């Protein structure tokens, strides 16, 4: 049973436009959410996170939105750049984000076209 | 130098062989993890260790074993490799006292079992 789902395997956007990556979860006990970015032949790297006590967290061009009632989060990248082309994973955890146990989604491959 | 290193980076082996994947870290983190990535399934937790004497099974531990030889070293073993263990394997670390649940990944080991 996939507790964290990224239903779009891929997304293609033009440089300068907004990229929106979506993630849904089923377990209401999740209270901390993270996005990771992965380039080919490298390990995932942490991008941004959000606690369930917030509904938005922003870091430069990256913003994560959390809708707890819908069990949905999204990552917005504005403006998108070709270097943002990568696989993006969302992840969730319980216990205020200090359990060390992350549940990952399947990943979405983002392609930003020049 | 990379903070989290994995050896080997690539390995081809045959069914029934024993194989060990090694992970070392220089971040000084307490916690270490082993994941595997399969297409369409994201990253799944195999084993995790919160300190040298604390080893825990993850989501998919069957067919795998681990050893935490020191704070900085965490090895994953496949006692008798089978073809459905062909995957990309990642080691990760996190700091109990750091940013909650932010994990730092190694570059990965691509394992092929023939």
């Amino acid at each position: 049973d996939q507790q964290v789902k990224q239903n779009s395997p891929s997304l293609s956007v033009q440089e300068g436009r907004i990229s929106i990556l979506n993630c849904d979860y089923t377990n209401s006990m999740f209270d901390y959410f993270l996005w990771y970015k992965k380039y080919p032949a490298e390990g995932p790297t942490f991008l941004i996170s959000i606690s369930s006590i917030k509904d938005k967290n922003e870091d430069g061009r990256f913003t994560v939105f959390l809708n707890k009632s819908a069990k949905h989060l999204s990552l917005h990248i504005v403006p998108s750049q070709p270097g943002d082309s990568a696989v993006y994973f969302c992840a969730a955890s319980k216990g205020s984000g200090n359990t060390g146990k992350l549940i990952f989604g399947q990943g979405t491959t983002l392609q930003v076209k020049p | 130098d990379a903070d989290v290193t994995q050896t080997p980076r690539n390995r081809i082996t045959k069914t029934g062989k024993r194989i060990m994947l090694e992970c070392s870290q220089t971040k000084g983190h307490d916690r270490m993890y082993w994941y595997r990535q399969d297409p369409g399934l994201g990253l799944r937790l195999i084993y995790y260790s919160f300190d040298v004497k604390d080893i825990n099974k993850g989501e998919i531990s069957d067919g795998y074993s681990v050893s935490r030889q020191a704070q900085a070293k965490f090895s994953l073993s496949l006692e008798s490799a089978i073809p459905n263990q062909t995957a990309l394997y990642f080691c990760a670390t996190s700091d109990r006292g750091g940013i909650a649940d932010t994990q730092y990944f190694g570059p990965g080991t691509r394992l092929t079992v023939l």
Side-chain angles (χ1 to χ4, degrees):
Chain A
D1 181 29
Q2 191 83 23
Q3 297 185 69
V4 178
K5 299 180 182 179
Q6 294 175 256
N7 292 316
S8 297
S10 63
L11 175 67
S12 181
V13 300
Q14 286 296 130
E15 181 178 6
R17 304 295 291 269
I18 184 171
S19 295
I20 300 176
L21 295 95
N22 294 303
C23 180
D24 296 296
Y25 61 96
T26 57
N27 192 333
S28 59
M29 297 298 290
F30 289 144
D31 58 7
Y32 196 76
F33 305 89
L34 308 91
W35 285 94
Y36 280 80
K37 174 179 177 180
K38 183 185 179 304
Y39 292 119
E42 296 182 11
T45 56
F46 170 73
L47 190 57
I48 192 169
S49 62
I50 188 167
S51 165
S52 61
I53 63 173
K54 296 184 176 181
D55 54 18
K56 176 182 174 181
N57 189 28
E58 189 172 356
D59 183 2
R61 297 185 296 113
F62 302 90
T63 303
V64 56
F65 295 92
L66 176 62
N67 182 334
K68 291 186 290 294
S69 61
K71 295 190 180 68
H72 176 83
L73 63 154
S74 60
L75 175 68
H76 292 209
I77 306 173
V78 184
S80 300
Q81 300 173 354
D84 296 329
S85 297
V87 179
Y88 289 79
F89 293 99
C90 68
S93 71
K94 310 174 200 176
S96 302
N98 201 28
T99 63
K101 293 178 67 176
L102 296 178
I103 306 297
F104 284 85
Q106 308 97 309
T108 296
T109 300
L110 173 65
Q111 182 184 27
V112 181
K113 297 180 178 178
Chain B
D1 288 340
D3 295 318
V4 183
T5 57
Q6 293 183 234
T7 55
R9 293 294 311 277
N10 289 282
R11 181 71 183 266
I12 300 174
T13 191
K14 294 182 178 180
T15 297
K17 294 291 188 181
R18 183 179 188 275
I19 184 166
M20 179 182 289
L21 309 183
E22 300 188 353
C23 177
S24 295
Q25 54 114 346
T26 58
K27 299 186 76 67
H29 287 171
D30 307 304
R31 301 177 174 185
M32 298 187 74
Y33 312 82
W34 275 105
Y35 291 90
R36 65 178 277 177
Q37 183 191 354
D38 298 277
L41 293 177
L43 287 88
R44 293 180 293 166
L45 183 63
I46 306 172
Y47 270 95
Y48 62 103
S49 170
F50 281 1
D51 65 43
V52 174
K53 295 184 179 181
D54 179 59
I55 305 287
N56 302 280
K57 293 182 178 180
E59 185 183 356
I60 52 163
S61 59
D62 287 349
Y64 301 95
S65 62
V66 291
S67 173
R68 185 85 184 265
Q69 300 95 323
Q71 186 199 36
K73 295 184 182 296
F74 194 35
S75 302
L76 177 72
S77 293
L78 288 69
E79 296 300 327
S80 179
I82 56 177
N84 76 1
Q85 292 177 313
T86 293
L88 191 53
Y89 289 84
F90 290 102
C91 173
T93 74
S94 69
D95 182 7
R96 177 180 51 194
I99 300 173
D101 271 341
T102 301
Q103 297 184 9
Y104 300 84
F105 286 80
T109 295
R110 184 167 295 279
L111 176 66
T112 302
V113 182
L114 301 176

